[in-house]
Amino acid sequence: MKTLPSLPIRPRRLRQNRTMRAMVRETILTPSDFISPIFVTHGENIKSEISSMPGVFQHSVDTAVLEAQAVADLGIPAVILFGIPASKDPIGEENFASDGIIPQAIRAIKAAVPDLLVISDICMCEYTDHGHCGVLNHEHSHLPEGYVLNDESLKVHAQAAIVHAQAGADIIAPSSMLDGIVATLRIALDEADFQHIPIMSYAIKYASAFYGPFRDAADGAPKFGDRKTHQMDPANAQEALREAELDVAEGADFLMVKPALSYLDVIQRAKAAFPQLPMVCYNVSGEYAMVKAAAQNGWLDEQKIVIEKLTSMKRAGADVIITYHAKDAATWLSNRN
Ligand code: PBG
C-alpha cells in the first residue's frame, strides 16, 4: 500500500483547542448587538405570556419598566416597543394619541432607565380594527375595495412618529413598508424639531408567514386579505436592493432585513451594497417559536441553537439583531466569558 505524502496545510491546526479557536474567531456576538422587543398593554401589574411565544409577555406599563431595566442590566442597548390599544378603529387613533399606550410606556421607560434606547415601531396594524397597516380604500373606484392607500396612510404614520418622538422615543421604526415612508417621516420629524431622531427603516420586509406568533402577541392580524401589496415577495432579492436604495435616498439612518433566518442571503447582499449604513435584521416571532417548540420537546439544545443562529445573522452582515432571545442570549454570552 502507498503511503500518503504528509500534508503541509492543515486547517485543523487553528481549531485544536478553545483558546486557539477563540483567537481566530471571525464573528463575535455580544449583548450590545441586540434589541429586545417589548409588548405593552393597558392595565396594571400585567405580565401575561404569549402562548405561541413561550418566555415572551404582554406587559402593562409598570412591568414593562421592570423588563426594560432587566434588559439594560444585561448590557443590551435598546428595546423596541409594540402597543396593544384599548380600542381599535379604522385609522388607529391610539397610535397618535399623546396618552396612548406607547407614549405612556416611552415616558415611563425613559424616566426609569434613561440610558436605554427606546425604539418605537409606528405601524398601524395593531391599532386598526381591520388589522391592516394603513388607511383602507372605500372611495377610489380604480383601486380595489380594502386596498391599503399609500399616501393617506403616510400622513397617519407621520402623526404617530411625532407623538412618539414627543414622548421621548430615541429612534422611530416604520414597519409598514409603504412607499415613501422614510422621506415622509424625515420631513415631518424635521419640521417638528426632531432633526436628531434617527429613522430605522424596515427597508426590506417580506410578506412572511413567520410573523404568525407576533400577530397573536400584538393582536394585529389582518381581518381579511394579506400584506402582499406593500410587503415584499419572498422570492425576490434584486428588488430588495431597490427598496434599500430608495430608503437610503430618502434619508434612512438604519436599514433592516426582516425576517432574518430565511433571508441571510438578502442580509449579505444588502450589507454589501450599502456597507455605510448599520444593517439591522429582525429575527422574527415565527423563528423564535420554532426554536422554543423544538427545545421544549427536547429536540434541540436551545442555548447552542440560539447562539449559532444569531452568530449566523451577524456573519451574514447584520450589525444589530432584533430578537426575542435577546435576554437569554445576553445571559448565556456573559456566562461564557
Ligand atoms: C407590524 C409588524 C409586524 C411585525 C413587526 N411589526 C407584523 C406584520 O407586518 O404583519 C412582525 C414581527 C415578528 O413576527 O416578530 N407591521
Side-chain angles (χ1 to χ4, degrees):
M1 216 175 72
K2 260 175 71 184
T3 51
L4 288 169
S6 70
L7 288 166
I9 296 168
R10 294 177 187 270
R12 291 183 60 188
R13 289 186 190 115
L14 299 185
R15 297 180 209 133
Q16 62 184 287
N17 60 46
R18 228 182 128 81
T19 322
M20 190 77 84
R21 290 193 294 275
M23 190 171 76
V24 301
R25 188 161 294 135
E26 298 173 29
T27 307
I28 312 286
L29 199 62
T30 77
S32 59
D33 300 328
F34 304 145
I35 296 171
S36 195
I38 304 182
F39 295 98
V40 195
T41 191
H42 287 273
E44 254 175 66
N45 198 25
I46 294 172
K47 190 176 173 193
S48 125
E49 194 167 40
I50 297 148
S51 58
S52 51
M53 300 176 75
V56 180
F57 301 84
Q58 288 184 352
H59 291 271
S60 47
V61 171
D62 52 344
T63 70
V65 169
L66 302 177
E67 171 72 9
Q69 183 68 62
V71 168
D73 290 346
L74 285 163
I76 298 167
V79 291
I80 184 163
L81 304 184
F82 298 99
I84 296 109
S87 66
K88 304 190 185 218
D89 55 75
I91 60 166
E93 289 188 13
E94 194 176 320
N95 196 17
F96 52 90
S98 53
D99 60 350
I101 187 69
I102 289 299
Q104 283 184 39
I106 296 170
R107 282 191 292 268
I109 293 172
K110 288 307 294 184
V113 203
D115 289 340
L116 182 71
L117 297 172
V118 175
I119 305 171
S120 191
D121 185 317
I122 55 161
C123 193
M124 292 168 61
C125 59
E126 293 107 83
Y127 301 91
T128 52
D129 51 9
H130 43 70
H132 282 286
C133 312
V135 180
L136 299 186
N137 178 44
H138 299 300
E139 56 212 61
H140 303 266
S141 56
H142 53 283
L143 288 169
E145 177 78 10
Y147 183 83
V148 174
L149 296 174
N150 199 85
D151 300 9
E152 283 80 345
S153 305
L154 292 180
K155 292 178 196 146
V156 184
H157 280 87
Q159 262 180 290
I162 290 168
V163 169
H164 295 200
Q166 282 166 342
D170 297 292
I171 299 175
I172 296 295
S175 70
S176 55
M177 273 287 280
L178 295 172
D179 292 337
I181 193 155
V182 175
T184 302
L185 297 184
R186 188 68 275 153
I187 291 165
L189 287 168
D190 284 7
E191 278 176 357
D193 213 15
F194 291 111
Q195 298 89 344
H196 63 298
I197 299 295
I199 297 175
M200 180 179 282
S201 169
Y202 284 66
I204 305 170
K205 176 173 175 182
Y206 288 91
S208 168
F210 284 103
Y211 308 149
F214 175 95
R215 293 178 185 174
D216 296 343
D219 188 23
K223 297 285 177 288
F224 61 89
D226 53 43
R227 309 214 202 286
K228 289 181 185 166
T229 71
H230 47 105
Q231 299 179 350
M232 280 185 55
D233 182 343
N236 294 359
Q238 301 296 342
E239 187 190 356
L241 299 182
R242 183 178 192 219
E243 285 285 359
E245 192 177 356
L246 285 168
D247 284 11
V248 172
E250 291 177 28
D253 299 284
F254 298 81
L255 292 177
M256 192 193 303
V257 174
K258 175 185 175 184
L261 207 49
S262 297
Y263 298 86
L264 296 175
D265 59 324
V266 180
I267 297 174
Q268 187 179 21
R269 289 183 211 210
K271 184 64 185 178
F274 300 99
Q276 307 86 349
L277 273 78
M279 180 64 59
V280 185
C281 72
Y282 199 141
N283 174 213
V284 301
S285 58
E287 300 172 326
Y288 175 85
M290 290 193 304
V291 171
K292 278 286 174 183
Q296 286 184 343
N297 273 299
W299 296 340
L300 288 178
D301 179 327
E302 182 179 0
Q303 180 168 339
K304 288 189 178 137
I305 288 284
V306 168
I307 297 299
E308 184 174 335
K309 76 168 182 168
L310 298 175
T311 301
S312 75
M313 292 164 200
K314 195 166 179 190
R315 192 192 63 229
D319 302 295
V320 183
I321 305 170
I322 305 177
T323 178
Y324 304 96
H325 299 290
K327 279 168 62 198
D328 284 343
T331 307
W332 296 328
L333 290 169
S334 47
N335 292 345
R336 210 162 61 165
N337 296 331

